[in-house]
Amino acid sequence: MQIMKVDPRSLKDNPDNTRQTKSTPQADALLLATINAVGIIQPPVIFPEANGGNGYVIEAGHRRTRMAIAAGLEEIEVLVVEAANDNGAMRSMVENIAREPLNPVDQWRGIQRLIALDWTEDAIAVALALPVRQIRKLRLLANVLPAMLDQMALGDMPNEQQLRTVAAASLDQQKEVWKAQKPKKGQPAAWWQIANTLSKTRMYAKDASFGDDLREAYGIEWVEDLFAPADEDSRYTTNVEAYLGAQQEWMTNNLPKKGMIAEVTQWGDVKLPQKASRVYGKPSKGDHTAMYLDRNGKVQTVHYRMPEEKKSGGKGAVVEGGATAGDDVIDAPKPRPDVTQKGHDMIGDFRTDALHEALARAPIEDDTLMALLVLAFAGMNVRVDSGANDTVFGTKRFARHAVRLIDGDGRLSFDIDTLRVAARSVLVDVLSCRRSMSNSGIVSRIAGLTIGADGYLPNMGTEDFLLCLSRQALEASCKGTSVLPRPRVRETRAALVEHFREGHFVHPAALFAPDSNDLGDLIKQGEIVEQEDTATSRETSNGLDDELADGSGDGDAADLDGADPEADDGAPGEDETAYGIAAE
């Protein structure tokens, strides 16, 4: 076996070569590009021609030889071996079968190694005959958590969509998820669950109506999705609040005449004004326009037609709503709310935590404490099953507080301090301002206002919360501070975060003072229930009087007449109270 240099044009093809099928033009182009860039890495294997010939026959490396000729190389290095009895047929079969393609993980690591050796992305792309975009994609995958790469190197590969999600996440997020989802030895990883945990909502640049001015004002940075097709705009951002805020401001600035910004239903359908009929064809001159954001955050436009107003009193007469006859009456455009839905969710959490802390620490008079306990059980999140229906009363959550007040014989046994602790604990479990099923409604805000829970609200001058405020709300938050509104929203927000870093900021919308409309509804609801109870009591009393008058209730009358007169001071009164609760 020896190495020598020969002219590739002088080498002869082996008629017993195992690989007879022609390679694809793409594969040949790749090999040609690598030879032009770095030369032939593995020399072809040749052996002397038999039967008295003086040439050489290729045993392995037919494609390398052809591409060397195509590259215009005058000489190449070859490895000369002795001729086999079967003309190299078996060695050719082994050389083509007993090989393993480069593991994808090793490809990613190889790209990273080349970058570390001062190879540029363009140079690597030329050497491997790959698009630069593909090199960037491989570099992105090289940033996958090493522990995940080791799992993939074992042959446990996620699909492309899952791989895209994992690679787009930060290493800290990957490490945290992998710690919780790491498979047992020899078991495959639950890539679908890992990708689902790491996935984030993406808002795409191709769906954005706003320009670079609003993008910069809201601090939106586009990230390119390197896995998407190269011929489409795949830029996106995960800053959903800023994206929707920029879209909302664009709609406000570009609202046409007779236009409005509409809301959508939970199914994504547009909400049009009452009595409006949607126009699906070409709109006419008198039709109106509604702009809204669909589920993907894209601005959509629909047209609708309002019914003609009935004219009464001639032209100029005032109709409902204060408009004159003949005028178009539509809803006024709705600007972006000062606080988004996520902001209200955060406010609900802030209120609840402050309320719980105030209930646990703030000084509360005993009579106030008992009144709050009654108030708590009027919350929307409280459900009590009456014992009159043979159902369980109370829950395990409240049982742990009740056992503090009873002894082993089931008798009440407590001191005033124990009662206070139990009452505070029940209030903490019941009252909630969170925007979920646990929301107690207005009663939790009344309770917070009563005990001064506003003083326990945390500092809201943070990046997370201020992201939920509109431009107008941010500028309003600057009042009373040394911070001046900036041209860009993110600059104003950053200045407020820095200003309140050592201070304390509470948004007015987070205060516990109840809304007057909600308070009026609560009072009205209580009056209606009280009237219904009064009417029910009268009907029950009249029915009992009728039975006594007809004689059908003689037995009952006798029991009443013969009742223990001392019972009026004790048991009957308690029974009547219990009956009243059960009936209610």
Side-chain angles (χ1 to χ4, degrees):
M1 181 181 297
Q2 61 177 339
I3 296 178
M4 60 182 295
K5 290 187 177 182
V6 299
D7 185 348
R9 298 165 186 81
S10 65
L11 301 178
K12 298 179 180 180
D13 290 340
N14 188 351
D16 293 321
N17 182 29
T18 302
R19 191 183 295 276
Q20 297 291 334
T21 304
K22 290 184 177 181
S23 56
T24 62
Q26 292 82 2
D28 288 342
L30 172 60
L31 182 56
L32 178 60
T34 58
I35 291 176
N36 286 326
V38 296
I40 297 178
I41 305 300
Q42 181 67 36
V45 180
I46 64 174
F47 60 86
E49 188 177 7
N51 300 326
N54 59 357
Y56 291 92
V57 179
I58 303 172
E59 181 174 295
H62 291 76
R63 288 183 62 234
R64 280 169 280 172
T65 303
R66 291 201 311 270
M67 293 303 106
I69 296 172
L73 300 182
E74 297 295 334
E75 285 184 336
I76 62 172
E77 289 186 344
V78 294
L79 185 63
V80 183
V81 298
E82 295 182 1
N85 295 332
D86 57 0
N87 206 26
M90 177 54 72
R91 287 191 296 203
S92 177
M93 175 68 76
V94 171
E95 196 269 341
N96 283 281
I97 290 181
R99 63 167 64 183
E100 182 180 4
L102 191 62
N103 188 285
V105 176
D106 292 332
Q107 293 182 29
W108 306 335
R109 289 171 174 165
I111 294 293
Q112 203 71 359
R113 176 60 178 164
L114 291 174
I115 295 295
L117 294 175
D118 296 332
W119 279 73
T120 64
E121 293 178 348
D122 293 336
I124 296 174
V126 171
L128 300 180
L130 294 174
V132 177
R133 179 187 178 87
Q134 180 70 12
I135 302 301
R136 292 175 181 171
K137 183 192 301 185
L138 292 173
R139 287 197 64 193
L140 176 63
L141 294 178
N143 292 327
V144 174
L145 187 71
M148 292 187 181
L149 287 177
D150 293 339
Q151 181 71 19
M152 297 178 191
L154 298 176
D156 183 15
M157 291 289 297
N159 61 37
E160 182 178 350
Q161 182 63 36
Q162 295 166 352
L163 199 56
R164 292 168 61 178
T165 303
V166 172
S170 66
L171 288 178
D172 291 338
Q173 293 173 331
Q174 295 179 41
K175 185 176 181 180
E176 182 178 353
V177 173
W178 185 251
K179 183 178 180 181
Q181 303 292 342
K182 183 179 180 180
K184 295 181 179 179
K185 187 175 182 180
Q187 297 294 325
W191 293 115
W192 64 271
Q193 192 169 359
I194 294 172
N196 185 57
T197 307
L198 292 173
S199 62
K200 292 183 178 181
T201 303
R202 293 184 175 186
M203 311 303 290
Y204 287 92
K206 61 184 179 182
D207 295 331
S209 298
F210 54 85
D212 289 338
D213 52 345
L214 286 178
R215 178 187 63 81
E216 295 177 358
Y218 280 85
I220 299 173
E221 299 292 341
W222 297 125
V223 179
E224 184 179 3
D225 185 357
L226 297 175
F227 294 90
D231 57 348
E232 68 179 39
D233 185 3
S234 60
R235 296 172 300 154
Y236 69 91
T237 180
T238 56
N239 192 347
V240 179
E241 292 291 334
Y243 183 95
L244 297 180
Q247 290 282 71
Q248 191 81 18
E249 185 165 339
W250 182 90
M251 288 193 298
T252 303
N253 297 336
N254 294 272
L255 198 64
K257 186 179 180 181
K258 294 186 177 180
M260 62 169 290
I261 298 177
E263 298 179 352
V264 294
T265 65
Q266 59 180 337
W267 299 281
D269 298 328
V270 61
K271 287 183 179 180
L272 295 178
Q274 292 184 354
K275 299 182 181 181
S277 58
R278 184 168 177 176
V279 177
Y280 291 94
K282 185 177 180 180
S284 60
K285 186 177 180 180
D287 291 337
H288 305 278
T289 303
M291 302 175 72
Y292 67 99
L293 296 178
D294 62 14
R295 291 184 174 181
N296 296 324
K298 187 176 182 180
V299 176
Q300 301 288 356
T301 302
V302 297
H303 302 280
Y304 63 94
R305 188 169 298 154
M306 298 297 296
E308 295 183 359
E309 296 288 342
K310 295 182 179 180
K311 297 182 179 180
S312 58
K315 185 175 181 179
V318 177
V319 296
E320 184 180 359
T324 57
D327 289 344
D328 294 322
V329 180
I330 61 173
D331 293 343
K334 295 182 179 179
R336 185 195 181 199
D338 287 344
V339 184
T340 63
Q341 294 298 319
K342 180 181 177 181
H344 282 296
D345 291 339
M346 295 177 67
I347 287 176
D349 292 340
F350 292 152
R351 283 179 180 157
T352 302
D353 295 339
L355 176 60
H356 290 175
E357 188 174 357
L359 288 170
R361 296 169 48 193
I364 308 174
E365 297 294 335
D366 292 344
D367 54 351
T368 303
L369 199 62
M370 300 307 170
L372 288 175
L373 188 60
V374 175
L375 193 66
F377 281 92
M380 295 188 303
N381 59 327
V382 178
R383 178 175 177 264
V384 178
D385 297 326
S386 173
N389 297 323
D390 295 330
T391 56
V392 178
F393 180 83
T395 63
K396 294 181 180 179
R397 175 176 295 275
F398 298 105
R400 61 195 175 107
H401 306 310
V403 296
R404 301 177 182 176
L405 309 179
I406 58 178
D407 57 17
D409 296 330
R411 298 178 182 275
L412 289 177
S413 176
F414 58 86
D415 54 30
I416 189 62
D417 291 333
T418 303
L419 176 60
R420 289 184 183 131
V421 171
R424 288 175 183 263
S425 300
V426 169
L427 289 170
V428 167
D429 279 340
V430 172
L431 294 176
S432 171
C433 300
R434 304 189 195 281
R435 303 226 308 168
S436 61
M437 291 182 62
S438 69
N439 190 4
S440 303
I442 189 175
V443 296
S444 62
R445 297 182 64 174
I446 296 175
L449 180 65
T450 303
I451 62 177
D454 287 335
Y456 294 87
L457 286 170
N459 179 24
M460 300 182 189
T462 62
E463 181 76 16
D464 288 341
F465 181 75
L466 295 181
L467 271 173
C468 302
L469 301 185
S470 65
R471 180 196 295 267
Q472 295 80 4
L474 280 175
E475 293 176 353
S477 301
C478 295
K479 295 180 179 179
T481 69
S482 59
V483 178
L484 297 177
R486 312 296 168 85
R488 297 181 179 180
V489 175
R490 63 174 177 178
E491 293 177 354
T492 305
R493 182 169 57 249
L496 286 173
V497 171
E498 184 63 28
H499 177 78
F500 291 114
R501 190 178 303 278
E502 303 298 334
H504 191 80
F505 168 71
V506 175
H507 193 274
L511 298 177
F512 280 89
D515 181 82
S516 58
N517 294 330
D518 294 340
L519 185 59
D521 292 340
L522 178 66
I523 296 174
K524 184 177 180 181
Q525 181 181 1
E527 293 175 350
I528 294 175
V529 172
E530 185 175 357
Q531 293 173 0
E532 291 176 350
D533 289 345
T534 302
T536 303
S537 300
R538 290 176 178 174
E539 292 175 0
T540 303
S541 176
N542 293 336
L544 181 61
D545 291 343
D546 292 341
E547 290 182 1
L548 292 174
D550 294 339
S552 59
D554 290 344
D556 293 337
D559 291 340
L560 292 173
D561 292 339
D564 186 357
E566 296 180 1
D568 292 340
D569 296 331
E574 295 176 357
D575 290 341
E576 290 170 7
T577 303
Y579 174 79
I581 294 176
E584 179 174 292

